[in-house]
Every structure is written in structure tokens, then in C-alpha cells.
């Protein structure tokens, strides 16, 4: 899986490792003067595991759905127990933002008028609200993690692929960070992928208008979570409908209208504040205008050249990684490396967005040594 022919696998695994090492560098330095030591230990363990698992013989993957369900339930119970014993922290702004937004809605106040400056769009908070009512918004990230494991189990073809993907998920330091600080980044992207994957397959198997518009509505709702979902959605729309421009335009307009509809009540409630201090003003601060235009061009080009859902995952993961890296470099140039990385001028947890896509882009396959064609291992 990680030989010279498996370029996508190598790049994806390397970026996941790089993200984890960045987290260790930043947060390890808060607890020890020798932060380079855990970085070296983690990196060596990570590479050795992939080296040894790569030598494992390929075998088909079969699982009993009954045991799958029981395993997910057990893992969910364990994670919920762990979450209840991790104290809430307000060091990271996303948890206070969620609590303030939902608390304001409960009290009948305009939800975006809060010191925490909530940056998400309305649907994000409504997705989290059931877990807020359960007493801990961290359960939303637990739900996202379990959902992503389910996606992995339904996508793998071989036992080796399953082991590698699960290892990459649970060796990714940002996953534990997300749970500890009760963030929602991983769950946000996972829910998008959980709808996109079956929708893509449905479009390939039928021409139903009901399926088409249902997907457009759902995608428009998910767009009303964070702008980063818009990047993935734009890439998907171009990839899916590039050979049918009328459908591309119709889908884009339909999703866009749904997105706008979700914003109208809040604009009518307090339009001036929503525009000047709401999610648009906050999320658009992360990139300069020319940077946004640059990545839009990259997305347009990528959408026309990718040929499969796997390449979509890879392109999406790379784009999200580069967007976050670009934003971090802009912050470093403006405030310096120490302020950007160690004094929280930049939030490196946004690299988490790329991890689910990079994991799903990794596949186990064999190729003919002479022709180079893929051989189905099933």
C-alpha cells in the first residue's frame, strides 16, 4: 500500500503524520522542555507500523454487521464515559461559541451577539443542539467519530486497508484534541461525507429528479455550517456534473438558495450585526481576497481532472490542507512564528478538516507489473 506506485497513499499518510507532529510540537512544548522527544517517538512508531502492515498479505474484508453494530455501541459508551470525565475548557473558542449561540436562542436573544464571536452558520448549531440538550456538546464529536468509523467499515475492500485506515484515524493527534476541547470540526466534515458518498452513488445509478433535488437541498443545508464545506461542495459539483452544465448550474442554484434561506431569519432579526460581525466577517478573515481567488481556481481545475470518488477525497484533503497551511503562513508573516504557532494567533486545529478525506483517499489494491492496471482484490 505504500510502495512507489501508491503515490496517493504515501502523500495522504505523510500529511496526516505531519499534522500530528505539528500538534505535538505546539502542545508538547507546554508540558515539557523536551518536546522533540515525543515527536521523534511518535514519528518512528507511525512509520514502523505502516512499514510492517504494508508487508501483510492482502486478503478480502468481510465483517458481520451484527458485531459491527455492537462494537460501535460499545465504543460509543466508552467515549461518552470518557467525555463526562474530561472537564470543559474555554481555552478554545469553539466551545464557548456553541454554548453562547444556543444559550442565546434559548433566551430569545440574537444568537450571534456574544463575546465568543460565533463563526459558524446556523445549521451547524442546530446540528449540535440535540447534544447540547443532552448536557454535553462534546457528544457531537463522539457521534462524528463513530459515524466516520462506520464510513470506513463500509468502504474498505481488504483487511489491510481497514487496519491502516483505523490506525491513521486513532493515531491522529487532532482526533483526541477535538474530543478533549469539545470541538466540532471532525464531525462537521464527517456528516458532509456521510451524505455525499451515498448521494454520489445514487446519482450514478438513477436519473430521478427527487434524488437530484433532495441532494441539492441537503448540500445547501450542510453549506450552512462552515464556508470550508463550500469548498468541498464546489469541488463535488464540478466533479459530478462537469459533463452536464445545465445540471451543474441547476444544482448550484438550488443549493445556494437553500443556503440563503437558512440565513434570512437571522438577517431579518439583526441584519447589520449579522453582516458586520457574523460568520461571513469572521470566516473570511482567514484568507486574503487574492488567496480565496487562487483556491477557487485550483478547485475549478481539480474538479475537471479528477476521475473517481477516491481522487475527490484526495483532492479535497489536499485543498483543505493547503488552505489551512496558507492561512497559517499568512499569520506567521504578519505576527511571527512564535505568536502564530505557540501564542494561539492561529488555530492549527483547522488542519483537522483534511484528515477524514485523506484517510478515505487511501486504498489497498494490486497492479499488473507489466500493464500497470489495477487488479480487484475482492
Amino acid at each position: 500500500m505504500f510502495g512507489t506506485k501508491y503515490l496517493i497513499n504515501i502523500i495522504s499518510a505523510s500529511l496526516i503524520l505531519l499534522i500530528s507532529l505539528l500538534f505535538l510540537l505546539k502542545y508538547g512544548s507546554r508540558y515539557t522542555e523536551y518536546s522533540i522527544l515525543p515527536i521523534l517517538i511518535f514519528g518512528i512508531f507511525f512509520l514502523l507500523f505502516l512499514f510492517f502492515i504494508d508487508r501483510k498479505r492482502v486478503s478480502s474484508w468481510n465483517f458481520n454487521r451484527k458485531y459491527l453494530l455492537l462494537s460501535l455501541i460499545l465504543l460509543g459508551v466508552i467515549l461518552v464515559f470518557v467525555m463526562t470525565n474530561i472537564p470543559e475548557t474555554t481555552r478554545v473558542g469553539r466551545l464557548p461559541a456553541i454554548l453562547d449561540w444556543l444559550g442565546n436562542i434559548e433566551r430569545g436573544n440574537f444568537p450571534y451577539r456574544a463575546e465568543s464571536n460565533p463563526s459558524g452558520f446556523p445549521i451547524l448549531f442546530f446540528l449540535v443542539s440535540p447534544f447540547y440538550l443532552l448536557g454535553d456538546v462534546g457528544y457531537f464529536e463522539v457521534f462524528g467519530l463513530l459515524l466516520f468509523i462506520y464510513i470506513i467499515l463500509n468502504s474498505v475492500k481488504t483487511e489491510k486497508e481497514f487496519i491502516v485506515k483505523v490506525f491513521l484515524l486513532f493515531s491522529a493527534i487532532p482526533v483526541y484534541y477535538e474530543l478533549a476541547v469539545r470541538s466540532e470540526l471532525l464531525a462537521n466534515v464527517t456528516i458532509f461525507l456521510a451524505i455525499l458518498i451515498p448521494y454520489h452513488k445514487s446519482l450514478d445509478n438513477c436519473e430521478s429528479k427527487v434524488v437530484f433535488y433532495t441532494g441539492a437541498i441537503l448540500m445547501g443545508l450542510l453549506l450552512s455550517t462552515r464556508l470550508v464545506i463550500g469548498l468541498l461542495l464546489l469541488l463535488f459539483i464540478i466533479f459530478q456534473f462537469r459533463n452536464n452544465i445545465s445540471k451543474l448550474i441547476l444544482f448550484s442554484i438550488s443549493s445556494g438558495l437553500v443556503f440563503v434561506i437558512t440565513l434570512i431569519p437571522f438577517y431579518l432579526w439583526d441584519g447589520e450585526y449579522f453582516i458586520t460581525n457574523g460568520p461571513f466577517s469572521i470566516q473570511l478573515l482567514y484568507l486574503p481576497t487574492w488567496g480565496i481567488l487562487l483556491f477557487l481556481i485550483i478547485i475549478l481545475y481539480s474538479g475537471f481532472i479528477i476521475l473517481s470518488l477516491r481522487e475527490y477525497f484526495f483532492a479535497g484533503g489536499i485543498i483543505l490542507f493547503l488552505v489551512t497551511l496558507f492561512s497559517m503562513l499568512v499569520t506567521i508573516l504578519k505576527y511571527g512564528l512564535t505568536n502564530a504557532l505557540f501564542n494561539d494567533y492561529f488555530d492549527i486545529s483547522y488542519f483537522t478538516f483534511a484528515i477524514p478525506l485523506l484517510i478515505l483517499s487511501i486504498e489497498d489494491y494490486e497492479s499488473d507489473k507489466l500493464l500497470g492496471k489495477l487488479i480487484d482484490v475482492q
Side-chain angles (χ1 to χ4, degrees):
M1 287 181 67
F2 296 98
T4 55
K5 296 180 181 179
Y6 301 87
L7 190 59
I8 288 180
N9 291 359
I10 293 173
I11 294 175
S12 294
S14 298
L15 291 181
I16 293 170
L17 172 60
L18 180 61
I19 292 170
S20 292
L21 294 180
L22 183 62
F23 270 74
L24 286 174
L25 175 64
K26 176 174 180 175
Y27 296 105
S29 63
R30 295 180 178 178
Y31 302 100
T32 175
E33 297 179 359
Y34 308 101
S35 58
I36 192 66
L37 183 60
I39 290 175
L40 289 174
I41 293 173
F42 179 86
I44 292 172
F45 169 76
F46 186 97
L47 295 173
L48 284 177
F49 181 90
L50 292 184
F51 173 78
F52 285 112
I53 196 63
D54 192 42
R55 299 168 67 89
K56 181 179 175 61
R57 185 177 177 182
V58 175
S59 60
S60 59
W61 170 246
N62 295 300
F63 63 88
N64 188 305
R65 291 187 177 273
K66 175 177 153 185
Y67 291 121
L68 163 63
L69 180 60
L70 290 174
S71 299
L72 287 178
I73 291 175
L74 177 60
L75 178 60
V77 170
I78 294 173
L79 289 174
V80 167
F81 175 78
V82 170
M83 290 298 299
T84 57
N85 288 276
I86 297 177
E88 292 186 358
T89 174
T90 57
R91 186 181 181 93
V92 179
R94 282 185 294 280
L95 175 60
I98 292 172
L99 296 177
D100 288 347
W101 199 97
L102 293 173
N104 279 339
I105 282 288
E106 276 189 320
R107 294 185 291 271
N109 300 327
F110 185 64
Y112 287 98
R113 280 190 177 272
E115 291 184 6
S116 56
N117 294 322
S119 62
F121 289 111
I123 298 300
L124 173 64
F125 300 103
F126 288 123
L127 286 174
V128 179
S129 60
F131 306 93
Y132 171 79
L133 296 175
L134 287 174
D136 194 329
V137 297
Y139 298 151
F140 179 63
E141 194 66 4
V142 172
F143 168 76
L145 182 59
L146 294 176
L147 180 60
F148 187 67
I149 294 172
Y150 184 81
I151 292 173
I152 290 176
L153 288 165
N154 280 278
S155 66
V156 295
K157 295 180 180 178
T158 69
E159 181 183 351
K160 183 195 294 187
E161 184 180 328
F162 168 73
I163 294 173
V164 167
K165 287 185 174 181
V166 170
F167 168 76
L168 290 174
L169 176 63
F170 284 102
S171 66
I173 304 300
V175 171
Y176 302 99
Y177 177 84
E178 286 281 293
L179 292 171
V181 302
R182 290 165 171 80
S183 183
E184 82 296 331
L185 304 184
L186 179 70
N188 194 172
V189 174
T190 297
I191 291 174
F192 173 77
L193 295 174
I195 293 176
L196 179 142
I197 294 171
Y199 181 61
H200 167 74
K201 294 178 180 177
S202 298
L203 287 176
D204 286 347
N205 295 328
C206 71
E207 293 290 332
S208 170
K209 289 185 178 180
V210 174
V211 172
F212 179 86
Y213 284 108
T214 299
I217 292 171
L218 290 174
M219 292 301 176
L221 290 173
L222 290 173
L223 179 56
S224 186
T225 54
R226 287 186 181 276
L227 281 179
V228 68
I229 297 299
L231 302 180
L232 295 177
L233 180 56
L234 177 60
L235 182 66
F236 174 74
I237 291 173
I238 298 171
F239 158 61
Q240 185 68 51
F241 302 112
R242 61 191 169 191
N243 295 322
N244 192 325
I245 300 301
S246 61
K247 281 190 174 182
L248 187 153
I249 295 174
L250 190 58
F251 188 96
S252 301
I253 292 175
S254 301
S255 295
L257 283 175
V258 172
F259 170 65
V260 171
I261 289 172
T262 66
L263 304 182
I264 288 176
F266 300 93
Y267 178 77
L268 295 177
W269 193 340
D270 192 339
E272 182 178 353
Y273 191 90
F274 185 70
I275 295 299
T276 58
N277 298 282
F280 284 107
S281 64
I282 297 174
Q283 294 189 44
L284 290 175
L285 287 175
Y286 296 121
L287 289 176
T289 302
W290 66 269
I292 296 173
L293 294 175
L294 173 63
F295 281 105
L296 286 177
I297 293 173
I298 293 174
I299 290 172
L300 290 172
Y301 176 75
S302 301
F304 277 102
I305 65 171
I306 56 180
L307 301 174
S308 65
L309 195 58
R310 183 207 183 190
E311 291 185 6
Y312 168 82
F313 294 144
F314 181 66
I318 293 294
I319 288 170
L320 294 188
F321 176 84
L322 291 178
V323 167
T324 308
L325 179 63
F326 181 83
S327 181
M328 185 176 76
L329 292 176
V330 169
T331 306
I332 290 173
L333 290 174
K334 190 173 181 180
Y335 300 105
L337 178 62
T338 301
N339 284 327
L341 185 58
F342 298 103
N343 294 335
D344 296 328
Y345 280 49
F346 180 80
D347 187 356
I348 65 170
S349 62
Y350 288 117
F351 281 108
T352 306
F353 281 129
I355 290 177
L357 290 114
L358 293 173
I359 291 176
L360 292 179
S361 72
I362 293 174
E363 288 188 1
D364 185 20
Y365 57 87
E366 292 181 345
S367 60
D368 185 285
K369 292 183 179 179
L370 295 177
L371 300 177
K373 293 182 178 180
L374 300 186
I375 300 173
D376 194 345
V377 297
Q378 287 186 308

